[in-house]
């Protein structure tokens, strides 16, 4: 899924680099709602985060006791995320890495693979990446994917609005579902707020699966 209707006239890495270079290093200090909801009671282990942005999810996971490998295409994002981890005294629990997931994927198996809003305004092989990521979830581990299921009310760009249903999003991952137990494959409503904007209703599309074997 593309976030925006018109593709920016630059390479993806430049787009994300510009975005994070222009961004404030301030972060919300809070994890993604869905991550907190579905992970807070799980046994800790090694988590892999795809598209970590400013690092609030990785920091929250590390504070819960997880060891985290956190990836993003943008060096500027990784720099902000690393400082975030240092401020929160969890830098030694997080391995931040610049990685373009369209070209590369880390070795290893993980107790949690999380992709919170791994989205892009470019043609992006998201399902292929997530299908590959699922193969790196170990037995009894969780695959947790959240995407936008509605346009954020404060968005200033034109979005593609053909949001797939959670079931369609699951089918698109092309997983062998006999290997997985469904924990939550549904839309999730929440109130969100962008700094400087009014709070607004958001719909997330959530896929939470646990690997059987
Ligand atoms: C919409 S942001 C979400 C960031 C963060 N997970 C959050 O929820 O705030 C999408 C993130 O995916 C990253 N990203 C986009 N394309 C990528 C790629 N090909 N490989 C790795 N990360 C990518 C971006 O740099 C950005 O940080």
């Amino acid at each position: 899924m593309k976030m925006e209707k018109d593709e920016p006239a630059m390479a993806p890495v430049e787009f994300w680099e510009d975005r994070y270079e222009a961004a404030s290093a301030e972060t919300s200090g809070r994890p993604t709602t869905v991550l907190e909801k579905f992970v807070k009671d799980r046994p800790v282990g090694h988590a892999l985060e795809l598209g970590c942005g400013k690092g609030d999810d990785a920091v929250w996971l590390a504070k819960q006791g997880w060891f985290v490998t956190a990836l993003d295409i943008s060096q500027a994002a990784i720099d902000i995320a690393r400082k975030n981890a240092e401020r929160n005294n969890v830098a030694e629990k997080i391995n931040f890495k610049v990685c373009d997931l369209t070209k590369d994927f880390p070795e290893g198996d993980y107790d949690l693979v999380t992709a919170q809003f791994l989205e892009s305004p470019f043609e992006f092989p998201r399902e292929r990446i997530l299908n590959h990521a699922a193969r790196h979830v170990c037995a009894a581990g969780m695959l947790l994917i959240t995407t936008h299921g509605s346009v954020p009310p404060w968005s200033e760009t034109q979005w593609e609005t053909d949001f797939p249903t959670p079931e369609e999003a699951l089918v698109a991952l092309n997983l062998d579902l006999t290997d997985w137990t469904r924990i939550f494959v549904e839309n999730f409503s929440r109130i969100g707020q962008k700094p400087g904007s009014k709070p607004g209703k958001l719909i997330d599309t959530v896929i939470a699966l646990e690997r059987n074997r």
Side-chain angles (χ1 to χ4, degrees), residues 163-194:
F163 296 105
T165 65
E167 287 302 327
E168 287 166 347
L170 178 61
V171 169
L173 295 182
N174 200 19
L175 301 176
D176 179 350
L177 292 176
T178 62
D179 286 346
W180 298 89
T181 298
R182 296 160 67 114
I183 295 175
F184 188 86
V185 180
E186 290 182 42
N187 282 133
F188 179 80
S189 287
R190 65 186 166 94
I191 302 297
Q193 187 168 17
K194 187 182 171 187

PDB file of all heavy atoms in Angstrom, residues 163-194:
ATOM      1  N   PHE A 163      -8.168   1.127   1.502  1.00  0.00           N
ATOM      2  CA  PHE A 163      -7.596   0.367   2.612  1.00  0.00           C
ATOM      3  C   PHE A 163      -8.143  -1.062   2.581  1.00  0.00           C
ATOM      4  O   PHE A 163      -9.357  -1.257   2.619  1.00  0.00           O
ATOM      5  CB  PHE A 163      -7.967   1.012   3.951  1.00  0.00           C
ATOM      6  CG  PHE A 163      -7.397   2.393   4.109  1.00  0.00           C
ATOM      7  CD1 PHE A 163      -8.201   3.507   3.979  1.00  0.00           C
ATOM      8  CD2 PHE A 163      -6.045   2.566   4.378  1.00  0.00           C
ATOM      9  CE1 PHE A 163      -7.670   4.779   4.121  1.00  0.00           C
ATOM     10  CE2 PHE A 163      -5.508   3.838   4.515  1.00  0.00           C
ATOM     11  CZ  PHE A 163      -6.322   4.940   4.384  1.00  0.00           C
ATOM     12  N   PRO A 164      -7.260  -2.062   2.529  1.00  0.00           N
ATOM     13  CA  PRO A 164      -7.779  -3.431   2.565  1.00  0.00           C
ATOM     14  C   PRO A 164      -8.371  -3.748   3.939  1.00  0.00           C
ATOM     15  O   PRO A 164      -7.974  -3.134   4.938  1.00  0.00           O
ATOM     16  CB  PRO A 164      -6.532  -4.292   2.308  1.00  0.00           C
ATOM     17  CG  PRO A 164      -5.363  -3.405   2.419  1.00  0.00           C
ATOM     18  CD  PRO A 164      -5.816  -1.981   2.417  1.00  0.00           C
ATOM     19  N   THR A 165      -9.320  -4.659   3.967  1.00  0.00           N
ATOM     20  CA  THR A 165      -9.827  -5.120   5.260  1.00  0.00           C
ATOM     21  C   THR A 165      -8.709  -5.923   5.936  1.00  0.00           C
ATOM     22  O   THR A 165      -7.773  -6.391   5.257  1.00  0.00           O
ATOM     23  CB  THR A 165     -11.044  -6.039   5.079  1.00  0.00           C
ATOM     24  OG1 THR A 165     -10.593  -7.226   4.400  1.00  0.00           O
ATOM     25  CG2 THR A 165     -12.163  -5.368   4.298  1.00  0.00           C
ATOM     26  N   PRO A 166      -8.811  -6.163   7.240  1.00  0.00           N
ATOM     27  CA  PRO A 166      -7.797  -6.990   7.910  1.00  0.00           C
ATOM     28  C   PRO A 166      -7.670  -8.370   7.258  1.00  0.00           C
ATOM     29  O   PRO A 166      -6.562  -8.870   7.088  1.00  0.00           O
ATOM     30  CB  PRO A 166      -8.310  -7.066   9.349  1.00  0.00           C
ATOM     31  CG  PRO A 166      -9.095  -5.803   9.522  1.00  0.00           C
ATOM     32  CD  PRO A 166      -9.747  -5.549   8.206  1.00  0.00           C
ATOM     33  N   GLU A 167      -8.811  -8.963   6.862  1.00  0.00           N
ATOM     34  CA  GLU A 167      -8.750 -10.292   6.219  1.00  0.00           C
ATOM     35  C   GLU A 167      -8.012 -10.212   4.885  1.00  0.00           C
ATOM     36  O   GLU A 167      -7.194 -11.072   4.567  1.00  0.00           O
ATOM     37  CB  GLU A 167     -10.159 -10.841   5.967  1.00  0.00           C
ATOM     38  CG  GLU A 167     -10.881 -11.318   7.215  1.00  0.00           C
ATOM     39  CD  GLU A 167     -10.153 -12.414   7.984  1.00  0.00           C
ATOM     40  OE1 GLU A 167      -9.472 -13.255   7.358  1.00  0.00           O
ATOM     41  OE2 GLU A 167     -10.254 -12.424   9.222  1.00  0.00           O
ATOM     42  N   GLU A 168      -8.298  -9.175   4.111  1.00  0.00           N
ATOM     43  CA  GLU A 168      -7.598  -8.999   2.824  1.00  0.00           C
ATOM     44  C   GLU A 168      -6.105  -8.782   3.053  1.00  0.00           C
ATOM     45  O   GLU A 168      -5.269  -9.305   2.315  1.00  0.00           O
ATOM     46  CB  GLU A 168      -8.185  -7.808   2.057  1.00  0.00           C
ATOM     47  CG  GLU A 168      -9.550  -8.087   1.469  1.00  0.00           C
ATOM     48  CD  GLU A 168     -10.267  -6.816   1.006  1.00  0.00           C
ATOM     49  OE1 GLU A 168      -9.837  -5.690   1.351  1.00  0.00           O
ATOM     50  OE2 GLU A 168     -11.299  -6.951   0.322  1.00  0.00           O
ATOM     51  N   ALA A 169      -5.788  -8.005   4.088  1.00  0.00           N
ATOM     52  CA  ALA A 169      -4.371  -7.734   4.384  1.00  0.00           C
ATOM     53  C   ALA A 169      -3.658  -9.033   4.785  1.00  0.00           C
ATOM     54  O   ALA A 169      -2.507  -9.261   4.397  1.00  0.00           O
ATOM     55  CB  ALA A 169      -4.264  -6.702   5.503  1.00  0.00           C
ATOM     56  N   LEU A 170      -4.373  -9.877   5.500  1.00  0.00           N
ATOM     57  CA  LEU A 170      -3.773 -11.161   5.900  1.00  0.00           C
ATOM     58  C   LEU A 170      -3.554 -12.057   4.680  1.00  0.00           C
ATOM     59  O   LEU A 170      -2.468 -12.631   4.501  1.00  0.00           O
ATOM     60  CB  LEU A 170      -4.682 -11.860   6.930  1.00  0.00           C
ATOM     61  CG  LEU A 170      -4.212 -13.237   7.395  1.00  0.00           C
ATOM     62  CD1 LEU A 170      -2.850 -13.149   8.087  1.00  0.00           C
ATOM     63  CD2 LEU A 170      -5.236 -13.862   8.347  1.00  0.00           C
ATOM     64  N   VAL A 171      -4.549 -12.151   3.830  1.00  0.00           N
ATOM     65  CA  VAL A 171      -4.427 -12.983   2.614  1.00  0.00           C
ATOM     66  C   VAL A 171      -3.244 -12.497   1.775  1.00  0.00           C
ATOM     67  O   VAL A 171      -2.463 -13.299   1.245  1.00  0.00           O
ATOM     68  CB  VAL A 171      -5.748 -12.963   1.806  1.00  0.00           C
ATOM     69  CG1 VAL A 171      -5.558 -13.574   0.429  1.00  0.00           C
ATOM     70  CG2 VAL A 171      -6.850 -13.694   2.579  1.00  0.00           C
ATOM     71  N   ALA A 172      -3.075 -11.162   1.696  1.00  0.00           N
ATOM     72  CA  ALA A 172      -2.005 -10.586   0.858  1.00  0.00           C
ATOM     73  C   ALA A 172      -0.608 -10.983   1.349  1.00  0.00           C
ATOM     74  O   ALA A 172       0.348 -10.950   0.587  1.00  0.00           O
ATOM     75  CB  ALA A 172      -2.138  -9.067   0.813  1.00  0.00           C
ATOM     76  N   LEU A 173      -0.502 -11.375   2.622  1.00  0.00           N
ATOM     77  CA  LEU A 173       0.817 -11.779   3.137  1.00  0.00           C
ATOM     78  C   LEU A 173       1.233 -13.147   2.614  1.00  0.00           C
ATOM     79  O   LEU A 173       2.394 -13.534   2.718  1.00  0.00           O
ATOM     80  CB  LEU A 173       0.815 -11.805   4.668  1.00  0.00           C
ATOM     81  CG  LEU A 173       0.612 -10.473   5.368  1.00  0.00           C
ATOM     82  CD1 LEU A 173       0.697 -10.664   6.880  1.00  0.00           C
ATOM     83  CD2 LEU A 173       1.656  -9.467   4.913  1.00  0.00           C
ATOM     84  N   ASN A 174       0.219 -13.909   2.122  1.00  0.00           N
ATOM     85  CA  ASN A 174       0.517 -15.189   1.486  1.00  0.00           C
ATOM     86  C   ASN A 174       1.253 -16.150   2.427  1.00  0.00           C
ATOM     87  O   ASN A 174       2.230 -16.790   2.039  1.00  0.00           O
ATOM     88  CB  ASN A 174       1.353 -14.905   0.224  1.00  0.00           C
ATOM     89  CG  ASN A 174       1.298 -16.048  -0.742  1.00  0.00           C
ATOM     90  OD1 ASN A 174       0.397 -16.888  -0.653  1.00  0.00           O
ATOM     91  ND2 ASN A 174       2.272 -16.118  -1.633  1.00  0.00           N
ATOM     92  N   LEU A 175       0.749 -16.228   3.674  1.00  0.00           N
ATOM     93  CA  LEU A 175       1.353 -17.129   4.668  1.00  0.00           C
ATOM     94  C   LEU A 175       0.645 -18.471   4.643  1.00  0.00           C
ATOM     95  O   LEU A 175      -0.538 -18.546   4.268  1.00  0.00           O
ATOM     96  CB  LEU A 175       1.204 -16.531   6.075  1.00  0.00           C
ATOM     97  CG  LEU A 175       1.833 -15.164   6.316  1.00  0.00           C
ATOM     98  CD1 LEU A 175       1.502 -14.681   7.725  1.00  0.00           C
ATOM     99  CD2 LEU A 175       3.339 -15.238   6.115  1.00  0.00           C
ATOM    100  N   ASP A 176       1.327 -19.511   5.075  1.00  0.00           N
ATOM    101  CA  ASP A 176       0.654 -20.790   5.308  1.00  0.00           C
ATOM    102  C   ASP A 176      -0.009 -20.680   6.684  1.00  0.00           C
ATOM    103  O   ASP A 176       0.664 -20.793   7.720  1.00  0.00           O
ATOM    104  CB  ASP A 176       1.685 -21.929   5.280  1.00  0.00           C
ATOM    105  CG  ASP A 176       1.021 -23.273   5.548  1.00  0.00           C
ATOM    106  OD1 ASP A 176      -0.178 -23.288   5.929  1.00  0.00           O
ATOM    107  OD2 ASP A 176       1.706 -24.303   5.389  1.00  0.00           O
ATOM    108  N   LEU A 177      -1.323 -20.454   6.694  1.00  0.00           N
ATOM    109  CA  LEU A 177      -1.997 -20.129   7.958  1.00  0.00           C
ATOM    110  C   LEU A 177      -2.107 -21.333   8.892  1.00  0.00           C
ATOM    111  O   LEU A 177      -2.455 -21.170  10.068  1.00  0.00           O
ATOM    112  CB  LEU A 177      -3.358 -19.490   7.682  1.00  0.00           C
ATOM    113  CG  LEU A 177      -3.242 -18.091   7.054  1.00  0.00           C
ATOM    114  CD1 LEU A 177      -4.615 -17.534   6.710  1.00  0.00           C
ATOM    115  CD2 LEU A 177      -2.486 -17.124   7.962  1.00  0.00           C
ATOM    116  N   THR A 178      -1.772 -22.541   8.399  1.00  0.00           N
ATOM    117  CA  THR A 178      -1.750 -23.690   9.322  1.00  0.00           C
ATOM    118  C   THR A 178      -0.560 -23.576  10.289  1.00  0.00           C
ATOM    119  O   THR A 178      -0.520 -24.252  11.308  1.00  0.00           O
ATOM    120  CB  THR A 178      -1.676 -25.038   8.567  1.00  0.00           C
ATOM    121  OG1 THR A 178      -0.452 -25.063   7.810  1.00  0.00           O
ATOM    122  CG2 THR A 178      -2.862 -25.233   7.645  1.00  0.00           C
ATOM    123  N   ASP A 179       0.403 -22.717   9.952  1.00  0.00           N
ATOM    124  CA  ASP A 179       1.572 -22.522  10.838  1.00  0.00           C
ATOM    125  C   ASP A 179       1.295 -21.503  11.934  1.00  0.00           C
ATOM    126  O   ASP A 179       2.160 -21.265  12.784  1.00  0.00           O
ATOM    127  CB  ASP A 179       2.771 -21.987  10.025  1.00  0.00           C
ATOM    128  CG  ASP A 179       3.385 -23.060   9.152  1.00  0.00           C
ATOM    129  OD1 ASP A 179       3.092 -24.248   9.357  1.00  0.00           O
ATOM    130  OD2 ASP A 179       4.166 -22.689   8.241  1.00  0.00           O
ATOM    131  N   TRP A 180       0.135 -20.856  11.892  1.00  0.00           N
ATOM    132  CA  TRP A 180      -0.076 -19.686  12.747  1.00  0.00           C
ATOM    133  C   TRP A 180      -1.399 -19.761  13.509  1.00  0.00           C
ATOM    134  O   TRP A 180      -2.387 -20.264  12.992  1.00  0.00           O
ATOM    135  CB  TRP A 180      -0.100 -18.412  11.892  1.00  0.00           C
ATOM    136  CG  TRP A 180       1.179 -18.152  11.163  1.00  0.00           C
ATOM    137  CD1 TRP A 180       1.524 -18.606   9.915  1.00  0.00           C
ATOM    138  CD2 TRP A 180       2.307 -17.404  11.623  1.00  0.00           C
ATOM    139  NE1 TRP A 180       2.777 -18.167   9.574  1.00  0.00           N
ATOM    140  CE2 TRP A 180       3.290 -17.424  10.605  1.00  0.00           C
ATOM    141  CE3 TRP A 180       2.575 -16.696  12.802  1.00  0.00           C
ATOM    142  CZ2 TRP A 180       4.522 -16.788  10.733  1.00  0.00           C
ATOM    143  CZ3 TRP A 180       3.803 -16.050  12.920  1.00  0.00           C
ATOM    144  CH2 TRP A 180       4.753 -16.102  11.908  1.00  0.00           C
ATOM    145  N   THR A 181      -1.404 -19.223  14.721  1.00  0.00           N
ATOM    146  CA  THR A 181      -2.650 -19.012  15.469  1.00  0.00           C
ATOM    147  C   THR A 181      -2.981 -17.526  15.390  1.00  0.00           C
ATOM    148  O   THR A 181      -2.110 -16.681  15.615  1.00  0.00           O
ATOM    149  CB  THR A 181      -2.458 -19.412  16.950  1.00  0.00           C
ATOM    150  OG1 THR A 181      -2.141 -20.795  16.982  1.00  0.00           O
ATOM    151  CG2 THR A 181      -3.716 -19.147  17.764  1.00  0.00           C
ATOM    152  N   ARG A 182      -4.235 -17.261  15.065  1.00  0.00           N
ATOM    153  CA  ARG A 182      -4.655 -15.854  14.956  1.00  0.00           C
ATOM    154  C   ARG A 182      -4.929 -15.315  16.359  1.00  0.00           C
ATOM    155  O   ARG A 182      -5.747 -15.869  17.083  1.00  0.00           O
ATOM    156  CB  ARG A 182      -5.946 -15.764  14.145  1.00  0.00           C
ATOM    157  CG  ARG A 182      -5.790 -16.223  12.718  1.00  0.00           C
ATOM    158  CD  ARG A 182      -7.127 -16.578  12.128  1.00  0.00           C
ATOM    159  NE  ARG A 182      -7.960 -15.419  11.975  1.00  0.00           N
ATOM    160  CZ  ARG A 182      -8.347 -14.937  10.786  1.00  0.00           C
ATOM    161  NH1 ARG A 182      -8.002 -15.539   9.665  1.00  0.00           N
ATOM    162  NH2 ARG A 182      -9.097 -13.885  10.711  1.00  0.00           N
ATOM    163  N   ILE A 183      -4.278 -14.242  16.693  1.00  0.00           N
ATOM    164  CA  ILE A 183      -4.549 -13.592  17.985  1.00  0.00           C
ATOM    165  C   ILE A 183      -5.541 -12.455  17.779  1.00  0.00           C
ATOM    166  O   ILE A 183      -6.497 -12.300  18.531  1.00  0.00           O
ATOM    167  CB  ILE A 183      -3.234 -13.090  18.608  1.00  0.00           C
ATOM    168  CG1 ILE A 183      -2.363 -14.305  18.944  1.00  0.00           C
ATOM    169  CG2 ILE A 183      -3.479 -12.260  19.852  1.00  0.00           C
ATOM    170  CD1 ILE A 183      -0.991 -13.964  19.459  1.00  0.00           C
ATOM    171  N   PHE A 184      -5.310 -11.678  16.727  1.00  0.00           N
ATOM    172  CA  PHE A 184      -6.203 -10.536  16.451  1.00  0.00           C
ATOM    173  C   PHE A 184      -5.984 -10.147  14.998  1.00  0.00           C
ATOM    174  O   PHE A 184      -4.878  -9.756  14.623  1.00  0.00           O
ATOM    175  CB  PHE A 184      -5.838  -9.378  17.387  1.00  0.00           C
ATOM    176  CG  PHE A 184      -6.781  -8.207  17.371  1.00  0.00           C
ATOM    177  CD1 PHE A 184      -7.906  -8.188  18.183  1.00  0.00           C
ATOM    178  CD2 PHE A 184      -6.528  -7.091  16.561  1.00  0.00           C
ATOM    179  CE1 PHE A 184      -8.762  -7.088  18.192  1.00  0.00           C
ATOM    180  CE2 PHE A 184      -7.384  -5.995  16.565  1.00  0.00           C
ATOM    181  CZ  PHE A 184      -8.499  -5.998  17.387  1.00  0.00           C
ATOM    182  N   VAL A 185      -7.018 -10.297  14.193  1.00  0.00           N
ATOM    183  CA  VAL A 185      -6.931  -9.857  12.794  1.00  0.00           C
ATOM    184  C   VAL A 185      -8.174  -8.994  12.576  1.00  0.00           C
ATOM    185  O   VAL A 185      -9.223  -9.478  12.145  1.00  0.00           O
ATOM    186  CB  VAL A 185      -6.867 -11.048  11.823  1.00  0.00           C
ATOM    187  CG1 VAL A 185      -6.774 -10.571  10.362  1.00  0.00           C
ATOM    188  CG2 VAL A 185      -5.665 -11.945  12.141  1.00  0.00           C
ATOM    189  N   GLU A 186      -8.063  -7.741  12.956  1.00  0.00           N
ATOM    190  CA  GLU A 186      -9.249  -6.865  12.991  1.00  0.00           C
ATOM    191  C   GLU A 186      -8.827  -5.413  12.882  1.00  0.00           C
ATOM    192  O   GLU A 186      -7.659  -5.086  13.038  1.00  0.00           O
ATOM    193  CB  GLU A 186      -9.983  -7.040  14.333  1.00  0.00           C
ATOM    194  CG  GLU A 186     -10.669  -8.380  14.459  1.00  0.00           C
ATOM    195  CD  GLU A 186     -11.425  -8.526  15.773  1.00  0.00           C
ATOM    196  OE1 GLU A 186     -12.083  -7.552  16.192  1.00  0.00           O
ATOM    197  OE2 GLU A 186     -11.335  -9.612  16.355  1.00  0.00           O
ATOM    198  N   ASN A 187      -9.846  -4.570  12.677  1.00  0.00           N
ATOM    199  CA  ASN A 187      -9.593  -3.138  12.796  1.00  0.00           C
ATOM    200  C   ASN A 187      -9.639  -2.767  14.271  1.00  0.00           C
ATOM    201  O   ASN A 187     -10.347  -3.381  15.066  1.00  0.00           O
ATOM    202  CB  ASN A 187     -10.661  -2.330  12.046  1.00  0.00           C
ATOM    203  CG  ASN A 187     -10.404  -2.328  10.549  1.00  0.00           C
ATOM    204  OD1 ASN A 187     -11.304  -2.560   9.763  1.00  0.00           O
ATOM    205  ND2 ASN A 187      -9.177  -2.070  10.148  1.00  0.00           N
ATOM    206  N   PHE A 188      -8.872  -1.760  14.581  1.00  0.00           N
ATOM    207  CA  PHE A 188      -8.763  -1.300  15.965  1.00  0.00           C
ATOM    208  C   PHE A 188      -8.920   0.216  15.947  1.00  0.00           C
ATOM    209  O   PHE A 188      -8.181   0.899  15.234  1.00  0.00           O
ATOM    210  CB  PHE A 188      -7.370  -1.722  16.480  1.00  0.00           C
ATOM    211  CG  PHE A 188      -7.076  -1.308  17.878  1.00  0.00           C
ATOM    212  CD1 PHE A 188      -7.560  -2.027  18.962  1.00  0.00           C
ATOM    213  CD2 PHE A 188      -6.290  -0.176  18.123  1.00  0.00           C
ATOM    214  CE1 PHE A 188      -7.281  -1.634  20.256  1.00  0.00           C
ATOM    215  CE2 PHE A 188      -6.003   0.216  19.421  1.00  0.00           C
ATOM    216  CZ  PHE A 188      -6.489  -0.519  20.484  1.00  0.00           C
ATOM    217  N   SER A 189      -9.906   0.733  16.679  1.00  0.00           N
ATOM    218  CA  SER A 189     -10.150   2.188  16.694  1.00  0.00           C
ATOM    219  C   SER A 189      -9.454   2.820  17.881  1.00  0.00           C
ATOM    220  O   SER A 189      -9.464   2.247  18.970  1.00  0.00           O
ATOM    221  CB  SER A 189     -11.636   2.484  16.866  1.00  0.00           C
ATOM    222  OG  SER A 189     -12.293   2.202  15.719  1.00  0.00           O
ATOM    223  N   ARG A 190      -8.912   3.965  17.649  1.00  0.00           N
ATOM    224  CA  ARG A 190      -8.275   4.671  18.763  1.00  0.00           C
ATOM    225  C   ARG A 190      -8.356   6.173  18.499  1.00  0.00           C
ATOM    226  O   ARG A 190      -8.596   6.598  17.367  1.00  0.00           O
ATOM    227  CB  ARG A 190      -6.829   4.225  18.943  1.00  0.00           C
ATOM    228  CG  ARG A 190      -5.933   4.584  17.782  1.00  0.00           C
ATOM    229  CD  ARG A 190      -4.540   4.013  17.919  1.00  0.00           C
ATOM    230  NE  ARG A 190      -3.843   4.118  16.649  1.00  0.00           N
ATOM    231  CZ  ARG A 190      -3.041   5.125  16.299  1.00  0.00           C
ATOM    232  NH1 ARG A 190      -2.825   6.115  17.127  1.00  0.00           N
ATOM    233  NH2 ARG A 190      -2.458   5.159  15.111  1.00  0.00           N
ATOM    234  N   ILE A 191      -8.142   6.945  19.544  1.00  0.00           N
ATOM    235  CA  ILE A 191      -8.045   8.395  19.391  1.00  0.00           C
ATOM    236  C   ILE A 191      -6.550   8.726  19.349  1.00  0.00           C
ATOM    237  O   ILE A 191      -5.793   8.297  20.222  1.00  0.00           O
ATOM    238  CB  ILE A 191      -8.722   9.130  20.574  1.00  0.00           C
ATOM    239  CG1 ILE A 191     -10.197   8.724  20.681  1.00  0.00           C
ATOM    240  CG2 ILE A 191      -8.580  10.647  20.431  1.00  0.00           C
ATOM    241  CD1 ILE A 191     -11.054   9.098  19.476  1.00  0.00           C
ATOM    242  N   GLY A 192      -6.146   9.422  18.316  1.00  0.00           N
ATOM    243  CA  GLY A 192      -4.741   9.799  18.186  1.00  0.00           C
ATOM    244  C   GLY A 192      -4.615  11.304  18.091  1.00  0.00           C
ATOM    245  O   GLY A 192      -5.610  12.016  17.913  1.00  0.00           O
ATOM    246  N   GLN A 193      -3.390  11.782  18.210  1.00  0.00           N
ATOM    247  CA  GLN A 193      -3.181  13.233  18.103  1.00  0.00           C
ATOM    248  C   GLN A 193      -1.781  13.497  17.586  1.00  0.00           C
ATOM    249  O   GLN A 193      -0.813  12.929  18.092  1.00  0.00           O
ATOM    250  CB  GLN A 193      -3.338  13.880  19.488  1.00  0.00           C
ATOM    251  CG  GLN A 193      -3.309  15.376  19.418  1.00  0.00           C
ATOM    252  CD  GLN A 193      -3.744  16.025  20.732  1.00  0.00           C
ATOM    253  OE1 GLN A 193      -3.775  15.378  21.779  1.00  0.00           O
ATOM    254  NE2 GLN A 193      -4.057  17.301  20.663  1.00  0.00           N
ATOM    255  N   LYS A 194      -1.699  14.351  16.583  1.00  0.00           N
ATOM    256  CA  LYS A 194      -0.395  14.807  16.108  1.00  0.00           C
ATOM    257  C   LYS A 194      -0.100  16.106  16.853  1.00  0.00           C
ATOM    258  O   LYS A 194      -1.019  16.923  17.033  1.00  0.00           O
ATOM    259  CB  LYS A 194      -0.485  15.060  14.600  1.00  0.00           C
ATOM    260  CG  LYS A 194       0.820  15.376  13.971  1.00  0.00           C
ATOM    261  CD  LYS A 194       0.634  15.661  12.493  1.00  0.00           C
ATOM    262  CE  LYS A 194       1.946  16.181  11.952  1.00  0.00           C
ATOM    263  NZ  LYS A 194       1.843  16.633  10.594  1.00  0.00           N
TER     264      LYS A 194
END
